[in-house]
Amino acid sequence: MGAEQQVRADFVELYGAEPEGVWAAPGRVNLIGEHTDYNDGFVMPFALPHTATAAVSRRTDGRLRLHSADIEDGVVELRLDDLTPESDQAWTAYPAGVVWALRDAGHPVTGADIHLTSTVPSGAGLSSSAALEVVVALALNDLFELGLPRWQLARLCQRAENVYVGAPTGIMDQTASACCEAGHALFLDTRDLSQQQIPFDLAAEGMRLLVVDTQVKHAHSDGEYGKRRAGCEKGAALLGVDALRDIPYAGLDAALERLGDEEEVRRLVRHVVTEDQRVERVVSLLKSGETRAIGPVLVEGHASLRDDFRISCPELDLVVDTALAGGALGARMTGGGFGGSAIVLAEAADVDTITKAVEEAFAAAGFTAPRVFEAVPSAGARRLA
C-alpha cells in the first residue's frame, strides 16, 4: 500500500469516514545560504522526496482533531478558541499553530480532522517541522477555498513557528516546502520573496548529492539559535542598517572595522555577508553550467559556519573532512546546526567509496552510525487526491 492509500485508510479507521483529500509537503536540503534568511539575505534550498502526508476533512464545530502515525499517542482534540501561542510543547504545536495563524489572519477555518505521517527525518536539519506546517496549510487552503498563494502560505507557516511554537526561524524552510520544483534549486531572496527556479539535475551530469544525517539531534527552540539571531540583529543595529543583507561584500572589511572589539558580532556579520555572496556565486555557476565548480564554495560555507558562526559539531566536521579526503567535489553542514546533516557533492562513481569512508570514520570515532541517502531535487507541496 502506498503512502497515500495508507494515510487514507488510517484516517478512516481513526475518524470513521473518508477524508476529503490527501496532501503532501516535502522536507528540504539547503544547498547554500545558511542563517541568511532572517537577515533578509539569499538562500538556495531544494525539496527532498521525503514528505509529510496528511489526510484531512473539514469540521464546522470549532474543533481540531490531530493524529500522527509516527507518535505513540491517540487522537488529540483541541478547541480552536483555546489555541494560544506557546501553550503547546508537543508535536501538535506545528499543525495547531498553522490553524491559529490562519484564523488570526482572519481566514474562516472552522475546524478539521487531520491524520499525519512523515518520512522526513526528524531533528536532522531537513525541515520536518516546516513540512508538517505546509501540508496542513495547503490542505486547509484548498478545503476552505481561501485562495492564498504559496508564498503567503509559507509566511503564515513561518508565523505559526515563530509565534505559536516559539522558534525564531526564518522563511526559507516553509517557502522551500511550498514552492520548490522537481529538478531545480530555489534561489530565494528572503527580503522580497522573489524566486528563481535554477535547474539542478545532478544525475544528468554524472554527479550525486548525498545527505549524511549524523543522528545528532538539534532543536531550534533551544537557546543557541536565538542567540545567533540576536547577535546578527545587534550587528545590523551597530552598523546602522535594517539587516545584514544591506552590508555589501565589498564593504565587509570596513564594516568589521567599525564593529571594533565586538568580536562575537564581527564573526556573525562576516559569516552572513560572505554567505550571501556564496549564494550568488553558486547561482552564477549553475546558470553557466559549471556545476562541479560549486564544490569549493560549499567547503568555504562549511568553514564559515564552523569558525565564524560556530554551529558545527565534531560529527559534522568529520563528515566533511572524510568526504573531501575521499574525493568529494564539496561538502558542508546544512540546516540550523548543532547536529543534523551534512551534504556531500560527488561524482556518481565515487559515492560508494565516500559513503563507506564516512561510515568507517564514524565507527572509529565511536559515533552513532550515520544515515546516508541521495538527495534528489523533488516537487514541492501538492494535493495527492
Side-chain angles (χ1 to χ4, degrees), residues 151-382:
W151 67 265
Q152 200 167 343
L153 290 177
R155 270 278 189 234
L156 287 164
C157 288
Q158 182 200 15
R159 186 156 192 267
E161 188 146 349
N162 289 173
V163 180
Y164 195 90
V165 178
T169 54
I171 190 65
M172 173 181 65
D173 297 349
Q174 293 84 0
T175 305
S177 187
C179 301
C180 278
E181 294 180 4
H184 292 75
L186 177 69
F187 176 35
L188 173 67
D189 181 333
T190 65
R191 170 163 282 170
D192 63 11
L193 298 189
S194 60
Q195 303 176 15
Q196 288 183 51
Q197 301 285 348
I198 309 295
F200 191 55
D201 185 355
L202 294 174
E205 299 187 61
M207 285 174 283
R208 300 288 185 271
L209 191 83
L210 301 177
V211 174
V212 182
D213 176 4
T214 65
Q215 308 281 354
V216 177
K217 301 299 182 187
H218 72 158
H220 278 165
S221 341
D222 290 339
E224 292 300 320
Y225 184 100
K227 280 185 199 170
R228 302 304 189 282
R229 183 166 185 164
C232 290
E233 290 166 355
K234 181 180 179 181
L238 289 171
L239 293 167
V241 293
D242 290 337
L244 294 183
R245 147 76 173 277
D246 297 312
I247 304 297
Y249 180 72
L252 176 59
D253 288 345
L256 295 177
E257 200 167 303
R258 285 170 57 201
L259 290 171
D261 59 2
E262 292 276 358
E263 184 52 41
E264 184 177 352
V265 176
R266 283 164 54 93
R267 286 191 285 99
L268 299 178
V269 169
R270 182 165 53 224
H271 166 73
V272 172
V273 175
T274 58
E275 187 79 348
D276 272 335
Q277 194 248 5
R278 280 186 283 273
V279 178
E280 293 183 293
R281 284 162 61 197
V282 167
V283 170
S284 178
L285 289 166
L286 291 178
K287 283 183 172 180
S288 61
E290 299 176 74
T291 307
R292 284 172 174 80
I294 74 172
V297 188
L298 303 184
V299 179
E300 286 177 33
H302 183 76
S304 183
L305 289 162
R306 181 192 64 210
D307 301 336
D308 277 344
F309 231 67
R310 299 191 179 177
I311 56 171
S312 190
C313 65
E315 291 86 350
L316 288 167
D317 293 340
L318 185 61
V319 174
V320 172
D321 294 344
T322 306
L324 293 173
L329 297 165
R332 74 171 191 90
M333 61 154 285
T334 188
F338 312 106
S341 298
I343 55 173
V344 177
L345 180 68
E347 303 287 357
D350 295 335
V351 164
D352 290 346
T353 303
I354 292 169
T355 300
K356 185 180 178 190
V358 169
E359 290 171 344
E360 289 177 348
F362 266 57
F367 295 151
T368 301
R371 178 179 179 226
V372 184
F373 58 91
E374 184 181 348
V376 179
S378 299
R382 58 215 181 264

Side-chain angles (χ1 to χ4, degrees), residues 62-83:
R63 292 188 177 273
L64 175 65
R65 293 197 292 181
L66 298 167
H67 185 268
S68 169
D70 309 310
I71 309 261
E72 288 189 13
D73 199 2
V75 173
V76 177
E77 185 167 326
L78 304 166
R79 291 181 66 249
L80 299 191
D81 290 343
D82 293 341
L83 300 181

Side-chain angles (χ1 to χ4, degrees), residues 64 66 71 76 78 83-101 116 129 132-133 136 156-157 159-167 221:
L64 175 65
L66 298 167
I71 309 261
V76 177
L78 304 166
L83 300 181
T84 52
E86 299 195 49
S87 60
D88 186 350
Q89 301 302 310
W91 71 270
T92 48
Y94 296 99
V98 171
V99 175
W100 170 84
L116 291 150
S129 59
L132 276 185
E133 293 157 2
V136 170
L156 287 164
C157 288
R159 186 156 192 267
E161 188 146 349
N162 289 173
V163 180
Y164 195 90
V165 178
S221 341

